[in-house]
Amino acid sequence: MISRRFRHVLSRGLVATAIALGAIGVGSALSPSRAFAQASRDLQAEQFVGVQAQRIIAILSDQSQSRADKIAAFRAIIDQDADVPRITTFVLGKYARTITPDQEQRFAAVFRRYAQNVYESRMSEFHGETVKVTGSLVRKPGDVIVSTVIVGGALKQPLPVAWRVFGDGDSWKVVDVEVAGIWLAITQQQDFVATIDNHGGDIDALTAQLQQRTQPKKSATAP
């Protein structure tokens, strides 16, 4: 489901991937290219990334809060910034064009629970990291890549993270995050599409696998 490469990057860049749930966009327009021309910085986009990332870090690093309180606060931030229909459409890749309304409804519900479980299961890995914005690059108006480094906490070395955001002024959404050279939304899409391909194009097979992964683990019982 999630490739080993994606799991490795997820464990290194948890802060970034948490924010990435905010609004993963749709279509090939989200496939970044390093060939675009240099442009001016966007200070408003930089401020958005810095503030939102630090909000999540502060919540998840707060040892005075219970796990339940952290989860509630985390979900509130994600709900505020998330565009769930876009997330669902993007991770399905080519199969977003053929999914039925009923399949989409069931997949969206399961995928949301699955995504929440992935990030919430790693909450204990936060140990006071800090996000520092180092600059930004405007691809075109309303499409900005913000460069940051995550430092401190459990990190032995600074972790470079790039954030692609869409919007303008005070209204922005994160559409993808690059950690260790890997764009996370694109990698997730590749994994999901491969799973569906391996089941002959059956979208329900992916939904079933995600459903299985969201089920509570049964505790072992003595014979």
Side-chain angles (χ1 to χ4, degrees):
M1 186 60 59
I2 295 182
S3 66
R4 290 183 178 179
R5 178 180 62 163
F6 186 79
R7 288 184 182 276
H8 173 67
V9 175
L10 176 63
S11 64
R12 292 188 62 202
L14 177 60
V15 175
T17 55
I19 292 291
L21 283 175
I24 296 173
V26 297
S28 60
L30 291 186
S31 299
S33 171
R34 294 301 185 185
F36 52 80
Q38 296 286 330
S40 61
R41 293 172 62 171
D42 191 310
L43 299 182
Q44 291 175 315
E46 292 180 20
Q47 182 181 29
F48 165 76
V49 169
V51 169
Q52 295 304 317
Q54 204 59 51
R55 282 181 66 196
I56 287 188
I57 290 176
I59 289 172
L60 302 184
S61 299
D62 187 353
Q63 300 302 315
S64 67
Q65 291 195 62
S66 67
R67 176 178 173 81
D69 288 341
K70 287 183 181 182
I71 289 176
F74 171 77
R75 290 183 179 179
I77 293 178
I78 299 304
D79 286 342
Q80 175 183 326
D81 295 332
D83 190 335
V84 176
R86 284 189 175 188
I87 296 172
T88 304
T89 300
F90 183 74
V91 297
L92 286 172
K94 64 185 179 181
Y95 291 105
R97 298 191 295 268
T98 59
I99 193 171
T100 68
D102 180 62
Q103 286 177 318
E104 184 175 11
Q105 184 177 20
R106 288 185 284 108
F107 174 78
V110 174
F111 175 67
R112 186 182 182 89
R113 292 196 301 272
Y114 166 77
Q116 288 173 340
N117 287 351
V118 168
Y119 302 107
E120 291 165 6
S121 67
R122 295 182 176 270
M123 282 185 172
S124 62
E125 296 181 15
F126 284 91
H127 301 286
E129 290 82 359
T130 301
V131 176
K132 295 183 178 181
V133 176
T134 59
S136 61
L137 185 63
V138 179
R139 292 170 52 86
K140 61 183 180 181
D143 181 356
V144 184
I145 293 181
V146 178
S147 299
T148 68
V149 291
I150 301 176
V151 297
L155 295 174
K156 296 182 179 179
Q157 296 180 342
L159 176 66
V161 178
W163 315 67
R164 193 174 182 190
V165 297
F166 285 175
D168 60 85
D170 296 328
S171 178
W172 295 93
K173 296 287 187 182
V174 177
V175 296
D176 204 354
V177 178
E178 182 189 45
V179 183
I182 297 174
W183 288 95
L184 302 177
I186 294 173
T187 301
Q188 182 72 93
Q189 181 197 80
Q190 292 169 346
D191 289 345
F192 280 11
V193 169
T195 296
I196 299 173
D197 285 344
N198 291 337
H199 288 82
D202 184 3
I203 296 173
D204 290 334
L206 172 61
T207 302
Q209 287 195 18
L210 294 180
Q211 178 69 50
Q212 185 177 16
R213 287 174 176 265
T214 61
Q215 297 298 321
K217 294 182 179 179
K218 295 182 180 179
S219 59
T221 57

